[in-house]
Amino acid sequence: MSKQILVLPGDGIGPEIMAEAVKVLQLANDKYSLGFELSFDELGGAAYDKYGVPLADETLERARAADAILLGAVGGPKWDAIEPALRPERGLLKIRSQLGLFGNLRPAILYPQLAEASSLKPEVVAGLDILIVRELTGGIYFGQPRESKVLENGERMAYDTLPYSESEIRRIAKVGFDMAMVRNKKLCSVDKANVLASSQLWRAVVEEVAKDYPEVELSHMYVDNAAMQLVRAPKQFDVMVTDNMFGDILSDEASMLTGSIGMLPSASLDANNKGMYEPCHGSAPDIAGQGIANPLATILSVSMMLRYSFNQAAAADAIELAVSKVLDQGLRTGDIFSAGMTKVGTAGMGDAVVEALRSL
Ligand code: NAD
């Protein structure tokens, strides 16, 4: 039976990078007889323009029915002035929460060819391979109540709420330990337990889950220290597990260790490994429409999809190898360019990966 993949290119550079990822996916589909059928729809600002909402009900139903979802990125200045509930990012948060995609896997891997593109010294980052496991459907981005208001004295004030239940922490902690088991068996749980009640519960539940994983070496770190350690000595980490907001920030920080956010894929999984796959970066309105965005994060998201949702390790390995070969050839988009390399645009990079994959 064929497998259904819903493709949501989104906004800004989303359609540009997705066009390249789809080329790679279609070649992998043919080459490895994967039996995928692709369908396309809108999310974010593009959905607002077409349907009047950032996530239409029919799109959500198609996403529920699909076996996996491939997403570009959403958002942009065009939609900054619309009411908050209809902003593009609300569509993204809604699809994540409605599909129960609570486990966000964000690898930060430094391709040796890009050691020069990192903002840190090559010896600090050479060989870097971290996996950040971020809780994605709870915490402060979803917590209620949240409010902006004007006090009686005329001063404006606003607040958010950071809730976590035991079961939410337990299930993401298990993802962290499971990932550590298939890697180097080291898990660092990041929290702010010296200040936040939610973090104190987080730490206690992670300790409980650890009892089921005696082989994994567990450590805890406050988020401020983790932010510092990531730039001081990032190779001390194997798997990091953390809440929604801390994971959002730390994974962007980790991305720069690898040279560019344009290199980083991600997977968001539900309890049955159904997933949505997307680059870690946003819609990059500053470079949209210029054909210069790096499509590799989205192409590598295709490889994560093959690995995690479809158990197609050989095809996933081949895509990653094709990316590595293209970097070996010295091809670079602007964000990872360094002297002596050959600058290519979005389509040039996508075509090169397709050629490299074809010749494997
Ligand atoms: P961003 O990730 O879009 O861009 C940050 C910087 O990285 C920019 O200079 C951009 O040009 C560069 N960049 C990003 N992706 C790149 C790529 N593939 N190749 C080359 N350079 C790349 O973050 P931002 O500027 O804070 O946000 C822009 C918009 O994206 C906002 O509307 C924001 O809400 C949205 N956003 C969406 C997502 C998502 O869809 N998952 C994530 C983050 C931000």
Side-chain angles (χ1 to χ4, degrees):
M1 216 176 74
S2 68
K3 299 275 183 196
Q4 304 296 322
I5 298 174
L6 177 64
V7 180
L8 302 170
D11 310 319
I13 61 169
E16 299 167 47
I17 52 178
M18 188 57 77
E20 305 313 311
V22 166
K23 283 185 204 165
V24 174
L25 175 57
Q26 279 168 337
L27 174 60
N29 196 16
D30 295 341
K31 191 175 162 91
Y32 296 91
S33 304
L34 301 175
F36 293 147
E37 273 181 25
L38 274 55
S39 61
F40 294 78
D41 205 340
E42 306 293 354
L43 182 76
Y48 177 80
D49 290 346
K50 182 171 176 184
Y51 301 114
V53 285
L55 172 63
D57 289 344
E58 53 264 48
T59 309
L60 182 57
E61 285 319 306
R62 296 176 78 185
R64 280 192 212 285
D67 295 292
I69 300 142
L70 192 59
L71 168 66
V74 302
K78 180 179 174 194
W79 303 280
D80 275 354
I82 61 180
E83 68 171 279
L86 295 176
R87 294 272 299 265
E89 295 77 7
R90 286 279 141 198
L92 183 58
L93 294 180
K94 186 173 174 188
I95 197 169
R96 287 172 177 167
S97 67
Q98 288 289 316
L99 297 182
L101 304 174
F102 67 89
N104 188 207
L105 311 183
R106 296 186 160 209
I109 297 171
L110 182 78
Y111 280 83
Q113 302 94 323
L114 297 183
E116 292 297 327
S118 172
S119 48
L120 298 192
K121 296 188 195 98
E123 63 267 27
V124 176
V125 287
L128 184 80
D129 183 353
I130 301 175
L131 178 65
I132 297 184
V133 177
R134 167 189 172 196
E135 201 289 325
L136 201 60
T137 54
I140 199 164
Y141 294 172
F142 293 93
Q144 296 290 343
R146 55 192 296 157
E147 192 180 6
S148 292
K149 61 182 178 183
V150 181
L151 299 174
E152 278 176 13
N153 65 4
E155 190 179 13
R156 289 171 296 162
M157 74 91 70
Y159 62 89
D160 299 279
T161 304
L162 201 179
Y164 269 111
S165 68
E166 187 176 350
S167 56
E168 284 176 303
I169 301 169
R170 193 173 299 280
R171 65 183 185 175
I172 193 68
K174 281 185 175 168
V175 175
F177 280 103
D178 286 341
M179 291 294 149
M181 282 299 287
V182 296
R183 291 172 49 101
N184 293 322
K185 300 196 168 92
K186 275 176 66 183
L187 179 67
C188 179
S189 172
V190 176
D191 61 37
K192 189 71 184 166
N194 50 342
V195 178
L196 300 175
S198 54
S199 278
Q200 286 152 14
L201 179 64
W202 179 281
R203 194 174 279 218
V205 174
V206 170
E207 284 288 345
E208 288 164 23
V209 176
K211 296 195 176 98
D212 296 331
Y213 296 87
E215 289 176 56
V216 175
E217 180 193 321
L218 171 68
S219 60
H220 300 279
M221 199 177 273
Y222 297 137
V223 62
D224 39 353
N225 187 22
M228 186 180 78
Q229 295 298 335
L230 266 177
V231 287
R232 193 188 71 87
K235 284 188 276 183
Q236 69 184 284
F237 297 112
D238 176 20
V239 181
M240 305 173 87
V241 64
T242 190
D243 83 2
N244 200 341
M245 181 167 63
F246 299 157
D248 190 2
I249 297 166
L250 292 182
S251 59
D252 266 28
E253 184 188 2
S255 76
M256 276 323 291
L257 306 177
T258 70
S260 170
I261 199 164
M263 291 300 298
L264 290 193
S266 78
S268 307
L269 303 176
D270 74 2
N272 303 311
N273 279 2
K274 171 170 170 166
M276 185 161 83
Y277 297 83
E278 56 180 306
C280 284
H281 59 73
S283 57
D286 53 333
I287 58 167
Q290 299 177 35
I292 58 171
N294 185 347
L296 293 179
T298 318
I299 290 170
L300 292 168
S301 299
V302 170
S303 114
M304 285 189 91
M305 179 174 78
L306 299 184
R307 196 180 298 288
Y308 290 107
S309 281
F310 298 115
N311 220 3
Q312 295 286 348
D317 287 347
I319 291 174
E320 286 163 21
L321 185 59
V323 168
S324 190
K325 280 185 178 295
V326 166
L327 296 176
D328 281 340
Q329 292 162 18
L331 302 187
R332 302 282 188 275
T333 43
D335 57 308
I336 51 173
F337 183 74
S338 57
M341 299 295 139
T342 307
K343 200 178 260 188
V344 290
T346 310
M349 184 60 99
D351 289 342
V353 176
V354 165
E355 275 321 305
L357 179 60
R358 204 190 301 281
S359 64
L360 283 178

